[in-house]
């Protein structure tokens, strides 16, 4: 007997509560196997990816049914943890919208551990548009005593015939008891039954997989033991009900038959048409085009000031050419894209938003994007050829019905997000959702945990699964673990993609709450790939640190960020010298050691050279990279071709080089990018393209041999060639930074030190470059240091910021800085002032004292003793007379002290703790003395030590035999040691269960003595 399986769960439920490893498609396949006719979206608390469900349903010719197993409480504004489950199905599209709306509301206003709907939301649904069922054993009926008065009766009254009592065939005693209760209700209220499977997997044997998935995550549901959660045929269902012995066969039959109500649901239709939001929906398409033309005219009036007069006509013609593309693609409303983003970007900038002057991808190759303020790159005046059709062409937009796509790179996306919401509406802009899936390594680890393997056993294996695939022990475990690969097990907001829609997203797509209490983001339940497929408008707002650096450095200098034309004129010898000398930390594209080494070899001298460099260092170009970096002369020996490749040192480096060659051979510009893609994918009539090229090229040059040769080069180069507007953009990003570093190093380094405050690796790299500019970092000092790193022009140095120190903060730093001009006769006066006029507490005072912040008043050990005394004797609540007496007493104490520093051991240990690194050095001490900062005892003991003499940190290994003697560890963190002897030994690695020697070596401690044990300071 056929039935509809409407109550089920897939891995989409896992983002609410880990529950299942099967996927929507598994249900579709099973439905076909059983001759069933529908696929329903039900998940816990939401409906999963409804677009994926819809596509699968169409593919398998099943009816798409929209349902959600909600969490339900009486009042969603109460902190009520006792939520129960409640199943609702949409009978039509209207019902689906209402259901999405209350689901979104449950996430926005009803969230308490779970997204919860309540009475108010439930009874806001139109009773004609939905079907409600009582759901599983976690129903309100099974959880609350007032279920008749407060749940069943009101629902029957309101939803009438659209309410069903859901029964399950599980033979678990809990289910059997519950079914008896349901039977009573059925008799009393004549509410019809409906059968549900509550499937969490397809076949009974998959119960094991699900349990292992959960156990691997350390989750156990003991109360579920004995529940079968499969998707069975009806024979099995009848059998199980018989075992339960609660319902008659007739009752079971009617319960199954009642699932046929789904057959009468409306066939919900969802379309894949372009969903371009419009902010001018009342205007006709012609009026919108006119509006855009007016904006472009206004912008051109400003732009032309910077363009030589004789070129004006060219700029106007090129703009018209692009505008023509927009007008010819009015079918997909491209004009709305530009009008909308023009307003968003303008408003975002007004709100203080910083957008890159460059861009990403092909966007800068469209001049209209410059006029509208999306980029500063002028493709018409660019040193390397850029083609507008690379960004957008009529045929591409109309054939693929794709939307234009610009990545907006920002220093901080917040102002642009706000602007988008202001312009389109609060409910019309949301972050997209990113579902996290288990990768091979995590799948393996999860399985190992599930079968109770120990972490040290499988840890090394997990790092190199490919290697162990055929291993006799691990091979089968790896194979078994693959069932978890691709299973969704987390969710996060997409890092940069936003959904924009001119209809309420909470009803059209649904909104879920993602993150934890401290960091909540409301996301549209759609991922970026699905959005592309279904043609929703997606805006990418990326955060780009280089632009944060550029913005903040210019602010520090007190100058506006120059536009690209202005920057071109500012690029002097000093700038290019930085690349040559490898002073490239924090510069875009060349900040890593490997790329820095390459750029010192190549020594770019112009924007186009740096842009070519960016394209050349991509992996695809590897075979020719050395020739390029060494600037060995290179030519294909075909003069016409060399001319076309002039902008990239005769290499066919950019896609635009190939496009130019096709244009040269007679192809219209707007076809060239698509032809390149065809050549790359070897799709379409390749022979026809080739013939057309050969004919065209021969017509221009007369040489058939060269024509074939060039075509071959094009074919080869499509594999690696790079988009030149992207290379040019990131080259300029790099140059903005290099210009600042070369000309305003003090301000530049101050900015990057602040931006990378917590990043010790980056801070170390930055420190290495400071001597190049003769800049020093000064330790924190009273009267000088502020909250953040601050430049001191006179001494060409940078004061460390107080806020970067553990336990200190911006407020205290600023308060202390206000005392900088006060004359103090002694430290006692300073302490009194700080006590009365700042929020600096005892712990913060002690840190500052020990870090020699108050050096002008004495050495730190002595100042610390004075402060101890002060804390004990002086209170600001004392009467004035007492205070004066106590001050005198403290001064008396001070006069008894001699001026002393903390011992090196204590000082070093303390600095490591609060600064993250050690500042002090002791050049007069012997090189063998060191302090143990850390001991890693996981494998062979590994010591991190600090060497007093030169202030460097070092790592030593030590044999277990040497480390533990007579059952006692010989060294502890904080010990001052003398290194007596070290050995160099090869590093080892676990391969195939055996330790093998590597070529690299590491230093081992062979002889060591403890000079001083750590005492508490
Ligand atoms: Zn349930
Ligand atoms: Zn369920």
């Amino acid at each position: 007997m056929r039935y509809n399986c409407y109550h089920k769960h897939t891995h989409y439920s896992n983002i609410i509560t880990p529950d299942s490893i099967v996927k929507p498609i598994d249900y579709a396949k099973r439905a076909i196997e059983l001759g069933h006719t529908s696929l329903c979206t039900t998940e816990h608390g939401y409906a999963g990816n409804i677009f994926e469900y819809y596509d699968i349903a169409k593919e398998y010719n099943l009816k798409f049914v929209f349902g959600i197993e909600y969490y339900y409480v009486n009042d969603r504004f109460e902190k009520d943890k006792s939520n129960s489950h409640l199943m609702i199905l949409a009978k039509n599209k209207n019902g689906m919208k209402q259901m999405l709306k209350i689901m979104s509301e449950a996430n926005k206003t009803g969230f308490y551990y779970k997204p919860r709907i309540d009475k108010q939301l439930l009874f806001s649904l139109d009773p004609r548009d939905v079907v409600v069922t009582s759901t599983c054993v976690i129903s309100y009926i099974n959880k609350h005593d007032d279920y008749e008065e407060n749940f069943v009766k009101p629902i029957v009254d309101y939803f009438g015939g659209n309410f069903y009592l859901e029964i399950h065939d599980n033979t678990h005693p809990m289910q059997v008891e519950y079914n008896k209760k349901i039977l009573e209700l059925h008799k009393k209220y004549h509410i019809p039954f409906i059968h549900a499977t509550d499937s969490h997997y397809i076949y009974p044997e998959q119960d094991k997989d699900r349990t292992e998935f959960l156990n691997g995550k350390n989750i156990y549901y003991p109360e579920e033991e004995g529940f079968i959660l499969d998707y069975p045929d009806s024979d099995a269902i009848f059998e199980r009900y018989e075992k339960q012995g609660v319902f008659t066969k007739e009752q079971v039959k009617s319960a199954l038959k009642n699932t046929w109500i789904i057959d009468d649901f409306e066939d919900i239709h969802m379309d894949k048409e372009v969903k371009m939001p419009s902010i001018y929906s009342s205007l006709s398409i012609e009026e919108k085009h006119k509006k855009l033309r007016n904006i472009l005219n206004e912008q051109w009036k400003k732009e032309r000031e910077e363009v030589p007069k004789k070129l004006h006509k060219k700029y106007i013609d090129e703009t018209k050419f692009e505008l023509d593309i927009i007008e010819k693609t009015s079918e997909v409303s491209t004009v709305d894209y530009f009008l909308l983003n023009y307003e968003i970007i303008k408003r975002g900038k007004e709100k203080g938003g910083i957008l890159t002057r460059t861009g990403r991808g092909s966007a800068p190759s469209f001049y209209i994007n410059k006029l509208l303020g999306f980029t500063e790159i002028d493709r018409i005046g660019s040193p390397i050829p850029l083609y507008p059709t690379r960004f957008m062409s009529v045929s591409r937009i109309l054939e693929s019905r794709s939307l234009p796509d610009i990545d907006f790179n920002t220093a901080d996306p917040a102002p642009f997000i706000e602007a988008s919401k202001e312009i389109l509406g609060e409910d019309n802009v949301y972050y997209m959702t990113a579902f996290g899936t288990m990768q091979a390594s995590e799948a393996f680890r999860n399985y190992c945990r599930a079968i109770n393997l120990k972490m040290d056993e499988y840890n090394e294996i997990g790092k190199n699964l490919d290697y162990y695939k055929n291993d006799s022990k691990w091979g089968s475990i790896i194979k078994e673990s693959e069932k978890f690969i691709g299973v969704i097990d987390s969710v996060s907001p997409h890092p940069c993609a936003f959904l924009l829609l001119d209809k309420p997203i909470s009803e059209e797509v649904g909104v879920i709450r993602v993150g934890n209490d401290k960091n909540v983001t409301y996301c549209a339940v759609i991922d970026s790939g699905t959005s592309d497929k279904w043609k929703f408008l997606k805006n990418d707002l990326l955060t780009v640190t280089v632009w944060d650096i550029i913005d903040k450095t210019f602010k520090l200098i007190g100058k506006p960020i120059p536009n690209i034309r202005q920057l071109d004129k500012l690029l002097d010898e000093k700038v290019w010298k930085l690349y040559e000398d490898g002073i490239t930390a924090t510069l875009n594209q060349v900040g890593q050691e490997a790329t820095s080494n390459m750029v010192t070899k190549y020594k770019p001298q112009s924007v186009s050279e740096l842009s070519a460099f960016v394209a050349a260092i991509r992996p695809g170009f590897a075979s020719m990279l050395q020739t390029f970096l060494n600037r060995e002369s290179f030519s294909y020996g075909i003069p016409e071709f060399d001319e076309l490749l002039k902008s990239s040192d005769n290499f066919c480096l950019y896609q635009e080089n190939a496009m130019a060659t096709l244009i040269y051979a007679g192809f219209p510009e707007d076809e060239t990018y698509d032809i390149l893609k065809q050549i790359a994918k070897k799709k379409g009539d390749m022979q026809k393209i080739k013939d057309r090229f050969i004919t065209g090229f021969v017509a221009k040059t007369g040489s058939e041999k060269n024509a074939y040769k060039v075509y071959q080069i094009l074919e080869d180069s499509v594999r690696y060639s790079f988009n030149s507007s992207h290379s040019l953009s990131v080259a300029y990003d790099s140059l903005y930074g290099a210009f600042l570093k070369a000309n305003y190093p003090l301000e530049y380094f101050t900015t990057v030190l602040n931006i990378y405050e917590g990043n010790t690796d980056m801070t170390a790299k930055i420190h290495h470059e400071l001597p190049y500019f003769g800049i020093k970092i000064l330790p924190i000092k009273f009267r000088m240091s502020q909250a953040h790193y601050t430049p001191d022009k006179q001494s060409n140095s940078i004061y460390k910021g107080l806020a970067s120190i553990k336990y200190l903060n911006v407020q205290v730093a600023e308060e202390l800085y206000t005392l900088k001009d006060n004359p103090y006769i002694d430290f006692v006066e300073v302490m009194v002032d700080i006590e009365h006029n700042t929020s600096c507490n005892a712990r913060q005072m002690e840190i500052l004292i020990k870090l020699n912040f108050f050096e002008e008043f004495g050495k730190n050990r002595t100042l610390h003793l004075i402060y101890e005394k002060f804390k004990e004797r002086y209170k600001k609540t004392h009467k004035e007379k007492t205070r004066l007496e106590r001050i005198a007493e403290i001064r008396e104490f001070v006069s008894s002290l001699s001026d002393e520093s903390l011992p090196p051991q204590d000082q070093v240990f303390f600095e490591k703790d609060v600064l993250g690194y050690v500042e002090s050095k002791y050049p007069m001490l012997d090189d063998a003395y060191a302090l143990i900062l850390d001991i890693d005892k996981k494998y062979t003991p590994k010591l991190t030590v600090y060497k007093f003499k030169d202030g460097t940190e070092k790592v030593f290994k030590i044999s277990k035999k040497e480390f533990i003697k007579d059952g006692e560890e010989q060294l502890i963190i904080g010990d001052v040691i003398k290194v007596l002897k070290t050995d160099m030994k090869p590093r080892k690695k676990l391969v195939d269960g055996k330790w093998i020697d590597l070529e690299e070596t590491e230093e081992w401690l062979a002889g060591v003595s403890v000079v001083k044990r750590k005492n508490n300071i």
Side-chain angles (χ1 to χ4, degrees):
M1 182 179 174
R2 180 180 67 87
Y3 71 97
N4 282 302
C5 168
Y6 67 86
H7 184 168
K8 50 132 262 301
H9 301 274
T10 71
H11 65 163
Y12 279 109
S13 283
N14 295 342
I15 68 162
I16 306 269
T17 179
D19 217 11
S20 173
I21 67 163
V22 292
K23 301 177 179 135
I25 198 163
D26 299 322
Y27 282 95
K29 287 179 178 162
R30 179 62 168 164
I32 297 297
E33 197 171 86
L34 295 175
H36 290 180
T37 51
S38 62
L39 177 67
C40 187
T41 67
T42 33
E43 304 288 356
H44 284 302
Y46 77 131
N49 180 349
I50 53 174
F51 304 98
E52 180 186 339
Y53 273 111
Y54 187 87
D55 273 343
I56 293 173
K58 291 292 137 193
E59 191 189 335
Y60 284 83
N61 202 18
L62 297 166
K63 179 173 214 158
F64 168 81
V65 182
F66 181 86
I68 293 178
E69 187 176 20
Y70 289 97
Y71 294 95
Y72 177 80
V73 286
N74 285 316
D75 180 354
R76 72 183 187 280
F77 300 104
E78 294 258 308
K79 288 188 170 162
D80 177 0
K81 254 178 124 173
S82 75
N83 60 74
S84 44
H85 292 185
L86 182 62
M87 175 68 71
I88 307 181
L89 306 172
K91 292 174 80 172
N92 49 40
K93 185 117 183 210
N94 251 338
M96 169 168 148
K97 279 191 187 183
Q98 296 169 49
M99 284 178 63
L100 281 169
K101 192 174 170 186
I102 67 168
M103 169 198 114
S104 305
E105 208 48 44
N107 277 277
K108 289 184 192 173
T109 57
F111 197 94
Y112 185 64
Y113 292 93
K114 299 277 191 269
R116 307 159 314 154
I117 60 163
D118 63 355
K119 246 186 211 167
Q120 187 203 16
L121 293 176
L122 175 63
F123 294 107
S124 74
L125 297 171
D126 188 325
R128 292 165 301 179
D129 293 333
V130 295
V131 164
V132 179
T133 87
S134 55
T135 324
C136 57
V137 290
I138 312 172
S139 170
Y140 194 95
I141 296 170
N142 214 19
K143 282 193 90 168
H144 298 278
D145 293 334
D146 64 351
Y147 65 91
E148 276 194 64
E149 289 308 313
N150 205 14
F151 185 75
V152 176
K153 278 187 188 168
I155 290 183
V156 172
D157 285 347
Y158 187 77
F159 291 97
N162 282 329
F163 177 56
Y164 290 83
L165 291 171
E166 189 176 300
I167 60 171
H168 294 190
D169 60 9
N170 261 300
T171 51
H172 192 282
M174 195 200 291
Q175 183 75 51
V176 176
E177 278 315 298
Y178 177 64
N179 280 1
K180 287 178 187 161
K181 204 170 184 180
I182 292 287
L183 185 60
E184 288 308 308
L185 281 174
H186 169 75
K187 286 181 181 157
K188 191 164 172 190
Y189 295 97
H190 310 290
I191 309 164
F193 292 126
I194 193 163
H195 168 76
T197 55
D198 202 356
S199 311
H200 286 63
Y201 41 83
I202 308 296
Y203 305 104
E205 59 271 24
Q206 287 173 311
D207 181 43
K208 178 175 159 283
D209 302 341
R210 173 174 179 258
T211 306
E212 282 167 356
F213 170 70
L214 297 175
N215 294 353
K217 294 191 170 295
N218 217 356
I219 295 167
Y220 302 88
Y221 295 130
E223 71 281 5
E224 280 186 6
E225 238 161 81
F227 271 89
I228 310 173
L229 303 167
D230 61 347
Y231 179 1
D233 61 23
S234 57
D235 289 348
I237 293 171
F238 279 110
E239 247 170 63
R240 290 176 198 168
Y241 275 119
E242 211 179 314
K243 245 190 208 165
Q244 276 188 351
V246 180
F247 304 112
T248 65
K249 192 160 187 188
E250 275 318 301
Q251 284 169 331
V252 173
K253 232 184 211 167
S254 79
L256 281 166
K257 210 171 160 187
N258 281 339
T259 64
W260 296 357
I261 49 167
I262 283 172
D263 302 348
D264 298 326
F265 284 4
E266 174 192 310
D267 238 324
I268 291 175
H269 177 70
M270 287 157 60
D271 74 71
K272 286 199 170 104
E273 273 305 299
V274 171
K275 297 163 189 70
M276 183 75 80
S278 177
I279 45 173
Y280 301 108
S281 50
S282 61
L283 298 187
S284 70
I285 194 83
E286 286 75 24
E287 286 167 328
K288 287 176 185 172
H289 286 145
K290 195 171 160 211
K291 188 151 196 93
L292 180 62
R293 276 199 298 274
N294 287 343
I295 293 171
L296 294 175
N297 269 332
E298 287 307 305
Q299 295 301 109
W300 165 244
K301 275 183 206 157
K302 291 180 223 160
E303 273 295 306
R304 66 182 176 197
E305 305 291 318
E306 295 195 48
V307 176
K309 210 155 189 172
K310 61 174 193 248
L311 292 175
H312 282 194
K313 188 174 176 311
K314 183 175 182 200
Y315 276 73
I316 292 166
D317 287 348
E318 292 287 338
T319 309
K320 279 186 182 156
F321 174 81
E322 293 182 2
L323 201 55
D324 191 49
I325 300 177
I326 297 174
E327 293 183 355
K328 282 184 175 146
T329 52
S330 62
E331 265 175 73
V332 289
S333 270
T334 38
V335 64
D336 279 311
Y337 178 83
F338 293 97
L339 289 172
L340 170 65
N341 278 313
Y342 170 67
E343 293 298 335
I344 290 176
I345 296 302
K346 193 171 72 164
R347 186 84 57 95
K349 286 178 183 171
E350 284 162 11
K351 287 173 160 293
I354 301 295
L355 192 70
T356 58
R357 297 321 189 242
T358 59
R360 283 298 180 274
S362 59
S365 56
F366 210 62
Y367 186 65
I368 285 179
N369 287 341
K370 173 163 168 47
L371 288 177
L372 295 179
F374 307 159
T375 173
E376 286 278 352
I377 289 187
D378 168 10
R379 65 112 174 144
I380 302 165
S382 158
I384 49 179
L386 302 176
Y387 296 106
T389 56
R390 176 69 184 76
F391 173 67
M392 195 173 142
S393 80
V394 178
S395 57
R396 204 154 65 241
I397 294 270
L398 292 186
E399 271 159 33
S400 64
R401 304 193 79 72
S402 60
L403 286 74
D405 183 7
I406 301 176
D407 286 350
F408 294 107
N409 287 8
T410 67
D412 171 10
F416 297 98
I417 300 171
E418 267 175 48
S420 307
K421 287 190 172 249
E422 268 182 39
I423 288 161
L424 266 178
E426 196 61 39
D427 197 26
N428 304 70
V429 180
Y430 289 96
Y431 268 102
M432 288 189 184
T433 299
F435 292 104
T437 56
M438 271 199 182
Q439 307 298 308
S441 161
E442 182 47 27
F444 171 75
R445 284 159 203 276
N446 197 70
Y447 184 65
C448 290
R449 285 191 296 265
I451 57 172
N452 290 318
L453 291 178
K454 293 225 162 52
M455 166 127 146
D456 3 336
E457 276 182 83
Y458 64 76
N459 199 25
E460 280 299 313
I461 319 296
K463 289 177 190 159
N464 199 355
L465 289 180
D466 271 348
Y467 187 87
Y468 289 97
K469 258 196 171 127
N470 300 317
D471 185 273
S472 56
K473 174 178 176 193
W474 294 104
S476 58
I477 295 178
I478 293 171
K479 185 104 200 79
E480 190 61 31
S481 75
E482 283 167 3
K483 62 191 174 198
F484 298 144
I485 295 178
V487 170
I488 290 170
D489 69 341
S490 67
V491 66
S492 52
H494 190 282
C496 57
F498 285 82
L499 175 68
L500 291 87
L501 195 64
D502 50 9
K503 292 178 187 152
I505 291 175
S506 58
E507 289 175 32
E508 296 289 325
V509 176
V511 174
I512 52 170
R513 179 188 193 267
V514 175
N516 52 36
D517 284 340
K518 283 191 191 118
N519 194 3
V520 170
T521 311
Y522 295 101
C523 298
V525 194
I526 189 167
D527 59 88
S528 160
T530 304
S531 151
D532 289 345
K533 213 163 150 192
W534 285 75
K535 313 220 182 298
F536 283 93
L537 178 62
K538 174 182 77 183
N539 264 2
D540 282 314
L541 287 170
L542 297 98
T543 311
V544 186
T545 309
V546 283
W547 276 90
D548 200 23
I549 296 173
I550 293 161
D551 172 46
K552 288 187 171 138
T553 310
F554 274 109
K555 282 192 177 131
L556 199 55
I557 300 164
K559 288 189 174 161
I561 304 177
N563 65 31
I564 285 181
R565 286 199 188 98
Q566 293 160 341
L567 179 74
D568 277 331
K569 292 182 193 124
L570 293 169
L571 299 175
D572 56 10
E573 228 171 89
K574 283 201 297 280
V575 174
W576 301 113
K577 192 90 173 51
L578 290 187
Y579 292 98
E580 193 174 330
D581 293 342
I583 304 299
T584 53
T586 70
L587 294 186
N588 201 15
Q589 299 295 314
V590 289
Q592 301 300 322
E593 202 183 326
T595 46
S596 176
N597 290 338
M598 287 188 234
V599 85
T600 56
K601 208 167 179 185
Y602 180 66
K603 304 180 183 57
Q605 299 295 323
S606 67
V607 177
S608 57
E609 284 191 357
L610 187 61
S611 172
F613 173 82
V614 169
I617 59 176
R618 306 294 130 175
F621 194 68
S623 62
M624 282 180 275
L625 180 63
Q626 288 311 319
T627 315
F628 174 87
L629 292 179
N630 293 330
R631 293 179 180 270
E632 289 164 31
S633 68
F634 178 83
S635 162
Y636 291 110
I638 303 162
E640 298 88 349
F641 196 40
D642 283 348
E643 183 61 30
L644 290 164
L645 304 177
K646 217 167 52 183
S647 64
S648 51
D649 286 0
N650 290 359
F651 289 97
C652 198
L653 197 52
Y654 301 123
Q655 290 159 352
E656 282 79 353
N657 293 140
M659 287 168 77
T661 311
L662 291 171
I663 294 168
Y664 179 77
F667 289 80
E669 185 200 307
D670 73 335
E671 281 181 33
T672 53
Y673 182 59
D674 297 307
I675 287 176
L676 277 193
K677 284 207 294 193
Q678 280 184 43
I679 296 176
K681 290 179 186 155
K682 295 194 164 45
K683 263 188 186 162
D685 193 343
M686 299 304 292
Q687 193 56 43
K688 202 171 140 198
I689 294 173
K690 189 171 178 178
D691 292 346
R692 204 171 149 197
F693 179 83
I694 304 293
T695 316
F697 200 85
V698 173
K700 281 273 174 69
T701 64
S703 164
E704 193 162 310
K705 194 175 133 221
N706 283 350
Y708 276 101
K709 197 170 159 193
V710 169
Y711 190 77
Q712 183 63 47
I713 295 164
L714 292 191
E715 263 188 348
D716 293 343
S717 74
V718 289
R719 280 183 295 111
Y720 61 75
S721 61
F722 203 64
N723 172 354
S724 60
S725 81
H726 185 83
S727 324
L728 185 65
S729 291
V730 293
Y732 269 120
D733 285 348
S734 185
L735 284 165
Y736 269 101
F739 162 73
L740 287 168
K741 195 193 265 193
N743 289 280
Y744 302 93
L746 199 59
E747 291 84 352
Y748 184 85
F749 284 109
T750 304
T751 305
V752 290
L753 280 168
N754 280 323
I755 284 177
Y756 292 107
E757 213 163 45
N759 183 337
T760 40
D761 282 357
M762 200 51 130
T763 306
K765 274 189 191 171
I766 295 167
H767 274 252
H768 280 140
E769 292 192 347
L770 296 175
Y772 186 92
F773 303 92
I775 295 173
K776 278 199 210 66
I777 298 285
L778 301 176
I780 56 162
K781 282 291 165 279
F782 182 56
R783 303 183 197 276
M784 297 296 186
S785 302
Q786 299 181 42
H788 303 291
Y789 286 92
T790 39
D792 182 51
K793 265 214 148 75
Q794 261 176 354
S795 62
N796 194 33
S797 38
I798 299 169
Y799 277 99
K800 188 174 169 61
L802 291 190
S804 66
I805 297 166
K806 201 166 163 184
Y807 302 122
L808 274 97
N809 57 48
V810 174
Q811 190 196 342
V812 169
E814 282 172 355
E815 289 165 355
L816 290 171
Y817 193 63
T818 61
L819 308 179
K820 70 182 163 65
D821 296 324
N822 299 351
Y824 292 105
I825 54 160
D826 64 3
F827 190 53
V828 179
E829 226 179 2
V830 178
M831 291 187 297
V832 170
D833 211 4
I834 289 174
E835 181 73 17
H836 285 270
N837 297 313
T838 77
S839 63
C840 189
N841 63 32
R843 172 153 74 179
Q844 292 164 333
M845 263 311 265
E846 280 173 21
I847 290 170
L848 291 168
I849 290 170
K850 286 180 185 169
L851 290 177
N852 290 307
F853 183 69
F854 299 107
E855 198 180 28
E856 63 170 292
F857 302 102
K859 291 183 174 157
N860 59 358
R861 183 165 191 272
T862 307
L863 294 188
H864 190 233
L865 289 173
I866 298 172
Y867 184 63
E868 293 278 298
K869 184 81 180 172
F870 177 80
K871 256 193 332 191
E872 194 187 304
R873 301 298 291 154
Y874 188 92
K875 297 271 171 313
K876 62 179 167 189
T877 46
H878 286 155
K879 292 212 174 75
E880 193 182 350
K881 186 165 160 276
T882 318
R883 293 206 306 256
L884 291 174
E885 280 167 17
R886 296 287 166 92
I887 287 173
E889 183 194 328
I890 295 163
R891 286 208 164 108
E892 183 69 36
F893 172 72
V894 172
S895 65
S896 73
L897 299 171
S898 57
D899 203 16
E900 277 177 46
S901 296
L902 284 174
Q905 178 191 20
D906 298 349
Q907 183 69 32
V908 167
F909 207 73
F910 181 75
E911 287 176 10
K912 179 74 184 173
D913 180 33
V914 298
L915 297 175
Y917 59 91
V918 182
E919 216 167 45
S920 301
K921 286 181 209 170
Y922 299 89
M924 60 294 179
L925 286 180
D926 189 296
D927 195 35
Y929 289 107
L931 177 80
I932 301 179
L933 296 175
D934 190 33
I935 305 177
D936 179 357
K937 290 183 273 198
K938 210 158 141 195
Y939 304 105
T940 305
K942 209 156 73 176
L943 312 179
T944 307
V945 307
Y946 162 86
K947 294 175 70 189
F948 289 99
K949 190 178 176 65
D950 59 5
T952 55
E953 281 186 21
K954 236 182 138 148
V955 175
F956 288 112
K957 279 204 171 163
I958 181 167
S959 71
K960 271 211 172 115
K961 230 167 57 196
E962 193 76 22
F963 184 67
I964 302 174
K965 284 179 182 163
D966 304 326
E968 215 171 291
E969 294 181 356
Q970 297 298 297
L971 302 169
I972 58 172
I973 292 174
D975 280 350
V976 176
I977 54 169
K978 187 168 185 188
V979 177
L980 302 173
K981 186 170 177 288
T982 64
D983 288 331
M984 296 307 287
K985 291 187 196 172
R987 244 167 63 81
K988 286 177 190 297
K989 193 181 171 197
L990 188 65
V991 176
D992 213 3
K994 278 189 211 124
W995 289 99
I996 60 155
D997 289 356
L998 298 179
E999 269 184 40
E1000 308 153 54
T1001 55
E1002 48 195 0
E1003 202 165 1
W1004 288 63
L1005 272 184
V1008 58
S1009 66
V1010 177
V1011 178
K1012 198 161 176 276
R1013 196 91 306 170
K1014 181 177 180 266
N1015 50 359
N1016 284 328
I1017 47 172

